[in-house]
Amino acid sequence: MSDLSQIVKAYDVRGTVPDQLNEPVAGALGRAFAQTLRALGEDRGTVVVAHDMRDSGPSLVKAFTDGVRAEGINVINAGLGSTDLLYYASGILGLPGAMFTASHNPAQYNGIKLCFAGAKPVGQASGLAAIRERAQELLDTRAEMPAPAGDIETREMLADYAAHLRTLVDLSGIRPLKVVVDAGNGMGGYTVPAVLGDAVLPALPLDIVPLYFELDGSFPNHEANPLEPANLVDLQAAVRAHGADLGLAFDGDADRCFVVDADGAPVSPSAVTALVATRELAKHPGATIIHNLITSAAVPEIVREHGGTPVRTRVGHSFIKAEMATTGAVFGGEHSAHYYFRDFWGADTGMLAAMHVLAALGEQDGPLSVLGAQYERYTASGEINSVVADQTAKLAQVRAHFSGEQQDELDGLTVAFGDGSWVNLRASNTEPLLRLNVEAPTPERMSELRDEVLKLVRG
């Protein structure tokens, strides 16, 4: 019997196929989603669904949509899509949605990201716990699936999605750029030709060099997780070999985008956040910009310098999106390369962030290394994970060690020092890990603080 507590996470459903996530589980989740929408007053009569390139996607989608239709709700099946294409569909159609993807996870995984109408996130506190409980009840009682009462329609959304993004950032007048794009055999291979190429819209002044555009959920070349440096190696080599102006790397469901400059050097997501923030503030003077607490301290500094109001949040898309809705923020960024836009229903889209980088680079003559350096002010450790048996005890030990410094517990433990350095130590929600991030004005100071904390955590 399936234990849904193992696969229904804080923000989505994620598990291995078929032992954890299979057609009966997907069907139960579809029924539970429909029932929960109705109970919460979020039923719009139709649900829109899409799936990534994983082989298990179509059969899971069918089972899920059978469950939704069994509850009398119609379905629009958008077919293949990136996660942000599904958010576009949910936003433009005003419908709840379900995206079947396991993002950057290995091939044996699949999952579901759910949203209310207008791409509003469904998380544990906003309906996902109720969906899990109801689906578990349906599975445990072996409830028979009623005959579908809702209709189903297949609708192509790619061209409309691409056209919408092009209305948000105009790339038609930039100088010509050569861009290597590593899709990692994920959905970027489907969406990049439509948005940045000439597959469905007029050509832009971009020479796209494709890398691993073939859709293949077995990820034969490398994992579709650009957060890991090893997965950027091919992109970095190709950028140098082709003499490109920059490189873009998308994760499996193409909702995150990483950037490297002409030398192959990564541009930090914090620098991209600051760059996009300044562009949004130029359009919306005085607006609010969201950043999570482990983005660089340069982000709120630059936001203030450009007349904006920075707001600091916990890590995680549900917190960012909730704060965007509360504050009316125009943009939000995370260290993990998730970027959120008010003019994209507050949802995250790596493609739109990439378009802002292309526009910023194409509107001036210098290289990306010079442009990006304007937004890089500190040295960061990157996220360092440590396996810890007792997370609470170790956090308490670090808290006591730095008792004389400024501390807060917005998300884990953050310690701020008078020289501009900071340390954040957070417990994983799903694994026995502590996640450490350190930033300092110099590499030497960063290394000193990093090693000091790791000695406490691992000693």
Side-chain angles (χ1 to χ4, degrees), residues 132-177:
R132 183 197 70 231
E133 291 168 7
R134 180 58 184 139
Q136 189 71 66
E137 181 183 345
L138 291 169
L139 290 168
D140 290 346
T141 60
R142 301 181 186 275
E144 185 176 348
M145 179 82 76
D151 296 328
I152 187 165
E153 171 192 350
T154 300
R155 187 180 302 184
E156 170 63 58
M157 302 293 294
L158 180 63
D160 291 344
Y161 155 82
H164 179 72
L165 288 180
R166 287 213 189 173
T167 68
L168 300 178
V169 178
D170 183 7
L171 295 173
S172 60
I174 64 171
R175 65 182 171 95
L177 297 173

mmCIF file of all heavy atoms in Angstrom, residues 132-177:
data_model
loop_
_atom_site.group_PDB
_atom_site.id
_atom_site.type_symbol
_atom_site.label_atom_id
_atom_site.label_comp_id
_atom_site.label_asym_id
_atom_site.label_seq_id
_atom_site.Cartn_x
_atom_site.Cartn_y
_atom_site.Cartn_z
ATOM 1 N N ARG A 132 -3.270 15.162 0.205
ATOM 2 C CA ARG A 132 -2.590 13.917 0.596
ATOM 3 C C ARG A 132 -3.506 13.037 1.443
ATOM 4 O O ARG A 132 -3.628 11.829 1.196
ATOM 5 C CB ARG A 132 -1.325 14.241 1.381
ATOM 6 C CG ARG A 132 -0.510 12.996 1.763
ATOM 7 C CD ARG A 132 0.493 13.285 2.854
ATOM 8 N NE ARG A 132 -0.171 13.524 4.123
ATOM 9 C CZ ARG A 132 0.045 14.570 4.921
ATOM 10 N NH1 ARG A 132 0.906 15.506 4.565
ATOM 11 N NH2 ARG A 132 -0.606 14.704 6.057
ATOM 12 N N GLU A 133 -4.154 13.638 2.434
ATOM 13 C CA GLU A 133 -5.010 12.855 3.338
ATOM 14 C C GLU A 133 -6.173 12.218 2.590
ATOM 15 O O GLU A 133 -6.506 11.051 2.810
ATOM 16 C CB GLU A 133 -5.523 13.746 4.463
ATOM 17 C CG GLU A 133 -4.434 14.189 5.430
ATOM 18 C CD GLU A 133 -4.890 15.288 6.368
ATOM 19 O OE1 GLU A 133 -6.101 15.619 6.346
ATOM 20 O OE2 GLU A 133 -4.057 15.819 7.127
ATOM 21 N N ARG A 134 -6.797 12.981 1.701
ATOM 22 C CA ARG A 134 -7.935 12.442 0.960
ATOM 23 C C ARG A 134 -7.488 11.359 -0.015
ATOM 24 O O ARG A 134 -8.141 10.312 -0.140
ATOM 25 C CB ARG A 134 -8.646 13.570 0.210
ATOM 26 C CG ARG A 134 -9.844 13.103 -0.600
ATOM 27 C CD ARG A 134 -10.883 12.420 0.267
ATOM 28 N NE ARG A 134 -11.986 11.899 -0.526
ATOM 29 C CZ ARG A 134 -12.567 10.723 -0.324
ATOM 30 N NH1 ARG A 134 -12.146 9.934 0.674
ATOM 31 N NH2 ARG A 134 -13.575 10.309 -1.076
ATOM 32 N N ALA A 135 -6.374 11.576 -0.695
ATOM 33 C CA ALA A 135 -5.870 10.561 -1.628
ATOM 34 C C ALA A 135 -5.481 9.293 -0.886
ATOM 35 O O ALA A 135 -5.729 8.178 -1.371
ATOM 36 C CB ALA A 135 -4.690 11.118 -2.414
ATOM 37 N N GLN A 136 -4.863 9.441 0.281
ATOM 38 C CA GLN A 136 -4.487 8.269 1.078
ATOM 39 C C GLN A 136 -5.721 7.473 1.479
ATOM 40 O O GLN A 136 -5.731 6.230 1.426
ATOM 41 C CB GLN A 136 -3.727 8.711 2.329
ATOM 42 C CG GLN A 136 -3.112 7.559 3.114
ATOM 43 C CD GLN A 136 -1.940 6.924 2.391
ATOM 44 O OE1 GLN A 136 -0.919 7.547 2.207
ATOM 45 N NE2 GLN A 136 -2.111 5.670 1.971
ATOM 46 N N GLU A 137 -6.783 8.191 1.836
ATOM 47 C CA GLU A 137 -8.039 7.517 2.200
ATOM 48 C C GLU A 137 -8.599 6.747 1.010
ATOM 49 O O GLU A 137 -9.063 5.603 1.153
ATOM 50 C CB GLU A 137 -9.049 8.559 2.690
ATOM 51 C CG GLU A 137 -10.385 7.994 3.110
ATOM 52 C CD GLU A 137 -11.372 9.080 3.522
ATOM 53 O OE1 GLU A 137 -10.946 10.224 3.744
ATOM 54 O OE2 GLU A 137 -12.579 8.775 3.600
ATOM 55 N N LEU A 138 -8.565 7.342 -0.157
ATOM 56 C CA LEU A 138 -9.058 6.664 -1.358
ATOM 57 C C LEU A 138 -8.251 5.405 -1.655
ATOM 58 O O LEU A 138 -8.806 4.364 -2.038
ATOM 59 C CB LEU A 138 -8.999 7.616 -2.554
ATOM 60 C CG LEU A 138 -9.982 8.793 -2.543
ATOM 61 C CD1 LEU A 138 -9.637 9.791 -3.645
ATOM 62 C CD2 LEU A 138 -11.414 8.293 -2.715
ATOM 63 N N LEU A 139 -6.933 5.485 -1.466
ATOM 64 C CA LEU A 139 -6.077 4.320 -1.705
ATOM 65 C C LEU A 139 -6.287 3.246 -0.650
ATOM 66 O O LEU A 139 -6.374 2.050 -0.971
ATOM 67 C CB LEU A 139 -4.607 4.753 -1.737
ATOM 68 C CG LEU A 139 -4.175 5.593 -2.946
ATOM 69 C CD1 LEU A 139 -2.798 6.196 -2.704
ATOM 70 C CD2 LEU A 139 -4.156 4.749 -4.221
ATOM 71 N N ASP A 140 -6.380 3.656 0.601
ATOM 72 C CA ASP A 140 -6.508 2.686 1.693
ATOM 73 C C ASP A 140 -7.827 1.925 1.624
ATOM 74 O O ASP A 140 -7.892 0.737 1.971
ATOM 75 C CB ASP A 140 -6.406 3.393 3.050
ATOM 76 C CG ASP A 140 -4.994 3.911 3.333
ATOM 77 O OD1 ASP A 140 -4.064 3.500 2.612
ATOM 78 O OD2 ASP A 140 -4.833 4.726 4.262
ATOM 79 N N THR A 141 -8.877 2.600 1.201
ATOM 80 C CA THR A 141 -10.195 1.959 1.127
ATOM 81 C C THR A 141 -10.445 1.300 -0.222
ATOM 82 O O THR A 141 -11.514 0.728 -0.450
ATOM 83 C CB THR A 141 -11.310 2.994 1.386
ATOM 84 O OG1 THR A 141 -11.233 4.033 0.401
ATOM 85 C CG2 THR A 141 -11.175 3.594 2.780
ATOM 86 N N ARG A 142 -9.440 1.414 -1.117
ATOM 87 C CA ARG A 142 -9.557 0.855 -2.467
ATOM 88 C C ARG A 142 -10.846 1.344 -3.142
ATOM 89 O O ARG A 142 -11.589 0.574 -3.762
ATOM 90 C CB ARG A 142 -9.505 -0.676 -2.441
ATOM 91 C CG ARG A 142 -8.226 -1.230 -1.839
ATOM 92 C CD ARG A 142 -8.206 -2.748 -1.847
ATOM 93 N NE ARG A 142 -7.066 -3.286 -1.155
ATOM 94 C CZ ARG A 142 -5.866 -3.478 -1.700
ATOM 95 N NH1 ARG A 142 -5.684 -3.164 -2.965
ATOM 96 N NH2 ARG A 142 -4.872 -3.991 -0.990
ATOM 97 N N ALA A 143 -11.082 2.633 -3.000
ATOM 98 C CA ALA A 143 -12.299 3.216 -3.547
ATOM 99 C C ALA A 143 -12.334 3.045 -5.069
ATOM 100 O O ALA A 143 -11.344 3.296 -5.758
ATOM 101 C CB ALA A 143 -12.377 4.697 -3.192
ATOM 102 N N GLU A 144 -13.465 2.639 -5.573
ATOM 103 C CA GLU A 144 -13.612 2.437 -7.010
ATOM 104 C C GLU A 144 -13.690 3.786 -7.720
ATOM 105 O O GLU A 144 -14.364 4.713 -7.261
ATOM 106 C CB GLU A 144 -14.867 1.625 -7.304
ATOM 107 C CG GLU A 144 -15.040 1.272 -8.771
ATOM 108 C CD GLU A 144 -16.240 0.373 -9.024
ATOM 109 O OE1 GLU A 144 -16.793 -0.148 -8.027
ATOM 110 O OE2 GLU A 144 -16.625 0.202 -10.199
ATOM 111 N N MET A 145 -12.993 3.892 -8.828
ATOM 112 C CA MET A 145 -12.992 5.135 -9.599
ATOM 113 C C MET A 145 -14.311 5.264 -10.355
ATOM 114 O O MET A 145 -14.649 4.400 -11.177
ATOM 115 C CB MET A 145 -11.833 5.151 -10.587
ATOM 116 C CG MET A 145 -11.774 6.399 -11.446
ATOM 117 S SD MET A 145 -10.995 7.799 -10.635
ATOM 118 C CE MET A 145 -9.261 7.308 -10.771
ATOM 119 N N PRO A 146 -15.086 6.338 -10.118
ATOM 120 C CA PRO A 146 -16.308 6.542 -10.893
ATOM 121 C C PRO A 146 -15.982 6.781 -12.360
ATOM 122 O O PRO A 146 -14.873 7.180 -12.717
ATOM 123 C CB PRO A 146 -16.930 7.799 -10.260
ATOM 124 C CG PRO A 146 -16.274 7.935 -8.920
ATOM 125 C CD PRO A 146 -14.897 7.365 -9.085
ATOM 126 N N ALA A 147 -16.957 6.553 -13.207
ATOM 127 C CA ALA A 147 -16.766 6.825 -14.633
ATOM 128 C C ALA A 147 -16.548 8.324 -14.843
ATOM 129 O O ALA A 147 -17.156 9.145 -14.152
ATOM 130 C CB ALA A 147 -17.986 6.365 -15.411
ATOM 131 N N PRO A 148 -15.652 8.695 -15.759
ATOM 132 C CA PRO A 148 -15.402 10.128 -15.994
ATOM 133 C C PRO A 148 -16.686 10.870 -16.378
ATOM 134 O O PRO A 148 -17.421 10.436 -17.267
ATOM 135 C CB PRO A 148 -14.401 10.128 -17.144
ATOM 136 C CG PRO A 148 -13.743 8.792 -17.073
ATOM 137 C CD PRO A 148 -14.797 7.845 -16.594
ATOM 138 N N ALA A 149 -16.932 11.991 -15.703
ATOM 139 C CA ALA A 149 -18.079 12.835 -16.014
ATOM 140 C C ALA A 149 -17.634 14.127 -16.681
ATOM 141 O O ALA A 149 -18.416 14.760 -17.389
ATOM 142 C CB ALA A 149 -18.871 13.148 -14.746
ATOM 143 N N GLY A 150 -16.395 14.526 -16.436
ATOM 144 C CA GLY A 150 -15.874 15.735 -17.046
ATOM 145 C C GLY A 150 -15.331 15.477 -18.436
ATOM 146 O O GLY A 150 -14.950 14.349 -18.780
ATOM 147 N N ASP A 151 -15.306 16.506 -19.256
ATOM 148 C CA ASP A 151 -14.769 16.403 -20.610
ATOM 149 C C ASP A 151 -13.254 16.589 -20.605
ATOM 150 O O ASP A 151 -12.668 17.059 -19.617
ATOM 151 C CB ASP A 151 -15.405 17.467 -21.513
ATOM 152 C CG ASP A 151 -16.901 17.263 -21.681
ATOM 153 O OD1 ASP A 151 -17.340 16.099 -21.662
ATOM 154 O OD2 ASP A 151 -17.627 18.276 -21.813
ATOM 155 N N ILE A 152 -12.611 16.247 -21.717
ATOM 156 C CA ILE A 152 -11.170 16.471 -21.861
ATOM 157 C C ILE A 152 -10.905 17.085 -23.236
ATOM 158 O O ILE A 152 -11.519 16.708 -24.232
ATOM 159 C CB ILE A 152 -10.371 15.159 -21.673
ATOM 160 C CG1 ILE A 152 -8.862 15.459 -21.655
ATOM 161 C CG2 ILE A 152 -10.732 14.122 -22.719
ATOM 162 C CD1 ILE A 152 -8.024 14.311 -21.124
ATOM 163 N N GLU A 153 -9.993 18.040 -23.252
ATOM 164 C CA GLU A 153 -9.624 18.748 -24.480
ATOM 165 C C GLU A 153 -8.107 18.827 -24.552
ATOM 166 O O GLU A 153 -7.451 19.105 -23.552
ATOM 167 C CB GLU A 153 -10.211 20.169 -24.460
ATOM 168 C CG GLU A 153 -9.720 21.074 -25.575
ATOM 169 C CD GLU A 153 -10.086 22.544 -25.349
ATOM 170 O OE1 GLU A 153 -10.868 22.828 -24.428
ATOM 171 O OE2 GLU A 153 -9.559 23.391 -26.090
ATOM 172 N N THR A 154 -7.555 18.580 -25.711
ATOM 173 C CA THR A 154 -6.124 18.756 -25.935
ATOM 174 C C THR A 154 -5.890 20.128 -26.554
ATOM 175 O O THR A 154 -6.563 20.496 -27.534
ATOM 176 C CB THR A 154 -5.582 17.668 -26.877
ATOM 177 O OG1 THR A 154 -5.803 16.382 -26.285
ATOM 178 C CG2 THR A 154 -4.091 17.861 -27.120
ATOM 179 N N ARG A 155 -4.959 20.901 -25.967
ATOM 180 C CA ARG A 155 -4.738 22.264 -26.454
ATOM 181 C C ARG A 155 -3.236 22.569 -26.460
ATOM 182 O O ARG A 155 -2.567 22.433 -25.440
ATOM 183 C CB ARG A 155 -5.467 23.278 -25.587
ATOM 184 C CG ARG A 155 -5.404 24.706 -26.146
ATOM 185 C CD ARG A 155 -6.135 25.714 -25.268
ATOM 186 N NE ARG A 155 -7.539 25.381 -25.065
ATOM 187 C CZ ARG A 155 -8.383 26.172 -24.384
ATOM 188 N NH1 ARG A 155 -7.935 27.307 -23.853
ATOM 189 N NH2 ARG A 155 -9.631 25.813 -24.238
ATOM 190 N N GLU A 156 -2.719 22.996 -27.604
ATOM 191 C CA GLU A 156 -1.317 23.386 -27.753
ATOM 192 C C GLU A 156 -1.133 24.790 -27.175
ATOM 193 O O GLU A 156 -1.844 25.722 -27.550
ATOM 194 C CB GLU A 156 -0.944 23.347 -29.226
ATOM 195 C CG GLU A 156 0.402 23.964 -29.558
ATOM 196 C CD GLU A 156 1.540 23.244 -28.913
ATOM 197 O OE1 GLU A 156 1.694 22.036 -29.158
ATOM 198 O OE2 GLU A 156 2.263 23.905 -28.148
ATOM 199 N N MET A 157 -0.159 24.962 -26.249
ATOM 200 C CA MET A 157 0.036 26.246 -25.574
ATOM 201 C C MET A 157 1.393 26.876 -25.869
ATOM 202 O O MET A 157 1.657 28.009 -25.454
ATOM 203 C CB MET A 157 -0.098 26.070 -24.057
ATOM 204 C CG MET A 157 -1.420 25.496 -23.576
ATOM 205 S SD MET A 157 -2.829 26.583 -23.848
ATOM 206 C CE MET A 157 -2.459 27.953 -22.754
ATOM 207 N N LEU A 158 2.286 26.167 -26.569
ATOM 208 C CA LEU A 158 3.668 26.615 -26.707
ATOM 209 C C LEU A 158 3.769 27.969 -27.414
ATOM 210 O O LEU A 158 4.485 28.876 -26.961
ATOM 211 C CB LEU A 158 4.496 25.569 -27.450
ATOM 212 C CG LEU A 158 5.970 25.915 -27.676
ATOM 213 C CD1 LEU A 158 6.704 26.058 -26.348
ATOM 214 C CD2 LEU A 158 6.644 24.856 -28.551
ATOM 215 N N ALA A 159 3.072 28.133 -28.524
ATOM 216 C CA ALA A 159 3.191 29.375 -29.301
ATOM 217 C C ALA A 159 2.673 30.569 -28.504
ATOM 218 O O ALA A 159 3.284 31.651 -28.509
ATOM 219 C CB ALA A 159 2.440 29.243 -30.620
ATOM 220 N N ASP A 160 1.566 30.397 -27.815
ATOM 221 C CA ASP A 160 1.012 31.489 -27.009
ATOM 222 C C ASP A 160 1.934 31.843 -25.853
ATOM 223 O O ASP A 160 2.104 33.024 -25.514
ATOM 224 C CB ASP A 160 -0.366 31.111 -26.482
ATOM 225 C CG ASP A 160 -1.422 31.037 -27.589
ATOM 226 O OD1 ASP A 160 -1.157 31.573 -28.676
ATOM 227 O OD2 ASP A 160 -2.477 30.444 -27.347
ATOM 228 N N TYR A 161 2.515 30.818 -25.235
ATOM 229 C CA TYR A 161 3.483 31.032 -24.143
ATOM 230 C C TYR A 161 4.680 31.839 -24.643
ATOM 231 O O TYR A 161 5.094 32.826 -24.017
ATOM 232 C CB TYR A 161 3.904 29.671 -23.600
ATOM 233 C CG TYR A 161 5.247 29.591 -22.916
ATOM 234 C CD1 TYR A 161 5.403 29.959 -21.583
ATOM 235 C CD2 TYR A 161 6.361 29.087 -23.597
ATOM 236 C CE1 TYR A 161 6.630 29.852 -20.944
ATOM 237 C CE2 TYR A 161 7.588 28.979 -22.973
ATOM 238 C CZ TYR A 161 7.725 29.362 -21.649
ATOM 239 O OH TYR A 161 8.945 29.247 -21.031
ATOM 240 N N ALA A 162 5.223 31.449 -25.783
ATOM 241 C CA ALA A 162 6.383 32.144 -26.342
ATOM 242 C C ALA A 162 6.031 33.591 -26.693
ATOM 243 O O ALA A 162 6.800 34.523 -26.405
ATOM 244 C CB ALA A 162 6.891 31.410 -27.581
ATOM 245 N N ALA A 163 4.878 33.787 -27.300
ATOM 246 C CA ALA A 163 4.471 35.135 -27.682
ATOM 247 C C ALA A 163 4.284 36.021 -26.452
ATOM 248 O O ALA A 163 4.651 37.208 -26.456
ATOM 249 C CB ALA A 163 3.178 35.078 -28.493
ATOM 250 N N HIS A 164 3.741 35.452 -25.369
ATOM 251 C CA HIS A 164 3.544 36.237 -24.145
ATOM 252 C C HIS A 164 4.886 36.680 -23.571
ATOM 253 O O HIS A 164 5.048 37.853 -23.198
ATOM 254 C CB HIS A 164 2.779 35.407 -23.116
ATOM 255 C CG HIS A 164 2.568 36.129 -21.821
ATOM 256 N ND1 HIS A 164 1.690 37.175 -21.685
ATOM 257 C CD2 HIS A 164 3.148 35.974 -20.597
ATOM 258 C CE1 HIS A 164 1.723 37.629 -20.448
ATOM 259 N NE2 HIS A 164 2.600 36.915 -19.774
ATOM 260 N N LEU A 165 5.846 35.774 -23.497
ATOM 261 C CA LEU A 165 7.158 36.139 -22.947
ATOM 262 C C LEU A 165 7.811 37.232 -23.781
ATOM 263 O O LEU A 165 8.450 38.144 -23.238
ATOM 264 C CB LEU A 165 8.061 34.917 -22.872
ATOM 265 C CG LEU A 165 7.715 33.884 -21.790
ATOM 266 C CD1 LEU A 165 8.706 32.729 -21.834
ATOM 267 C CD2 LEU A 165 7.704 34.504 -20.404
ATOM 268 N N ARG A 166 7.646 37.166 -25.082
ATOM 269 C CA ARG A 166 8.263 38.192 -25.936
ATOM 270 C C ARG A 166 7.632 39.574 -25.738
ATOM 271 O O ARG A 166 8.251 40.576 -26.050
ATOM 272 C CB ARG A 166 8.193 37.769 -27.397
ATOM 273 C CG ARG A 166 9.169 36.653 -27.747
ATOM 274 C CD ARG A 166 9.640 36.813 -29.163
ATOM 275 N NE ARG A 166 10.405 35.671 -29.648
ATOM 276 C CZ ARG A 166 10.795 35.539 -30.908
ATOM 277 N NH1 ARG A 166 10.466 36.459 -31.803
ATOM 278 N NH2 ARG A 166 11.500 34.487 -31.284
ATOM 279 N N THR A 167 6.399 39.621 -25.234
ATOM 280 C CA THR A 167 5.807 40.927 -24.931
ATOM 281 C C THR A 167 6.391 41.532 -23.658
ATOM 282 O O THR A 167 6.281 42.740 -23.440
ATOM 283 C CB THR A 167 4.275 40.833 -24.754
ATOM 284 O OG1 THR A 167 3.964 40.097 -23.558
ATOM 285 C CG2 THR A 167 3.618 40.183 -25.953
ATOM 286 N N LEU A 168 7.011 40.704 -22.814
ATOM 287 C CA LEU A 168 7.518 41.183 -21.524
ATOM 288 C C LEU A 168 8.944 41.706 -21.611
ATOM 289 O O LEU A 168 9.331 42.591 -20.849
ATOM 290 C CB LEU A 168 7.431 40.053 -20.493
ATOM 291 C CG LEU A 168 6.020 39.513 -20.226
ATOM 292 C CD1 LEU A 168 6.068 38.371 -19.214
ATOM 293 C CD2 LEU A 168 5.090 40.612 -19.743
ATOM 294 N N VAL A 169 9.749 41.147 -22.514
ATOM 295 C CA VAL A 169 11.115 41.622 -22.739
ATOM 296 C C VAL A 169 11.342 41.682 -24.246
ATOM 297 O O VAL A 169 11.277 40.649 -24.928
ATOM 298 C CB VAL A 169 12.167 40.700 -22.090
ATOM 299 C CG1 VAL A 169 13.574 41.200 -22.403
ATOM 300 C CG2 VAL A 169 11.974 40.616 -20.585
ATOM 301 N N ASP A 170 11.617 42.866 -24.753
ATOM 302 C CA ASP A 170 11.820 43.055 -26.195
ATOM 303 C C ASP A 170 13.296 42.845 -26.538
ATOM 304 O O ASP A 170 14.153 43.631 -26.142
ATOM 305 C CB ASP A 170 11.376 44.458 -26.605
ATOM 306 C CG ASP A 170 11.483 44.687 -28.110
ATOM 307 O OD1 ASP A 170 11.770 43.700 -28.835
ATOM 308 O OD2 ASP A 170 11.283 45.829 -28.548
ATOM 309 N N LEU A 171 13.574 41.779 -27.258
ATOM 310 C CA LEU A 171 14.949 41.461 -27.661
ATOM 311 C C LEU A 171 15.217 41.822 -29.125
ATOM 312 O O LEU A 171 16.326 41.612 -29.614
ATOM 313 C CB LEU A 171 15.223 39.975 -27.448
ATOM 314 C CG LEU A 171 15.187 39.477 -25.999
ATOM 315 C CD1 LEU A 171 15.312 37.959 -25.946
ATOM 316 C CD2 LEU A 171 16.294 40.119 -25.176
ATOM 317 N N SER A 172 14.236 42.367 -29.810
ATOM 318 C CA SER A 172 14.368 42.565 -31.252
ATOM 319 C C SER A 172 15.435 43.594 -31.616
ATOM 320 O O SER A 172 16.024 43.524 -32.694
ATOM 321 C CB SER A 172 13.025 42.985 -31.843
ATOM 322 O OG SER A 172 12.572 44.203 -31.270
ATOM 323 N N GLY A 173 15.719 44.547 -30.708
ATOM 324 C CA GLY A 173 16.650 45.611 -31.048
ATOM 325 C C GLY A 173 18.025 45.492 -30.431
ATOM 326 O O GLY A 173 18.848 46.409 -30.560
ATOM 327 N N ILE A 174 18.341 44.368 -29.788
ATOM 328 C CA ILE A 174 19.654 44.217 -29.159
ATOM 329 C C ILE A 174 20.714 43.910 -30.218
ATOM 330 O O ILE A 174 20.390 43.525 -31.349
ATOM 331 C CB ILE A 174 19.650 43.110 -28.088
ATOM 332 C CG1 ILE A 174 19.381 41.738 -28.714
ATOM 333 C CG2 ILE A 174 18.627 43.419 -26.998
ATOM 334 C CD1 ILE A 174 19.569 40.574 -27.753
ATOM 335 N N ARG A 175 21.981 44.083 -29.842
ATOM 336 C CA ARG A 175 23.064 43.704 -30.755
ATOM 337 C C ARG A 175 23.084 42.183 -30.900
ATOM 338 O O ARG A 175 22.635 41.449 -29.993
ATOM 339 C CB ARG A 175 24.413 44.211 -30.246
ATOM 340 C CG ARG A 175 24.898 43.600 -28.935
ATOM 341 C CD ARG A 175 26.206 44.215 -28.505
ATOM 342 N NE ARG A 175 26.605 43.829 -27.158
ATOM 343 C CZ ARG A 175 27.419 42.821 -26.863
ATOM 344 N NH1 ARG A 175 27.918 42.069 -27.830
ATOM 345 N NH2 ARG A 175 27.750 42.562 -25.602
ATOM 346 N N PRO A 176 23.599 41.658 -32.000
ATOM 347 C CA PRO A 176 23.637 40.208 -32.180
ATOM 348 C C PRO A 176 24.467 39.521 -31.086
ATOM 349 O O PRO A 176 25.550 40.002 -30.730
ATOM 350 C CB PRO A 176 24.292 40.029 -33.554
ATOM 351 C CG PRO A 176 24.018 41.316 -34.268
ATOM 352 C CD PRO A 176 24.062 42.376 -33.204
ATOM 353 N N LEU A 177 23.945 38.427 -30.577
ATOM 354 C CA LEU A 177 24.631 37.659 -29.541
ATOM 355 C C LEU A 177 24.670 36.193 -29.934
ATOM 356 O O LEU A 177 23.695 35.655 -30.474
ATOM 357 C CB LEU A 177 23.906 37.786 -28.190
ATOM 358 C CG LEU A 177 23.820 39.168 -27.541
ATOM 359 C CD1 LEU A 177 22.927 39.112 -26.312
ATOM 360 C CD2 LEU A 177 25.211 39.681 -27.175
#
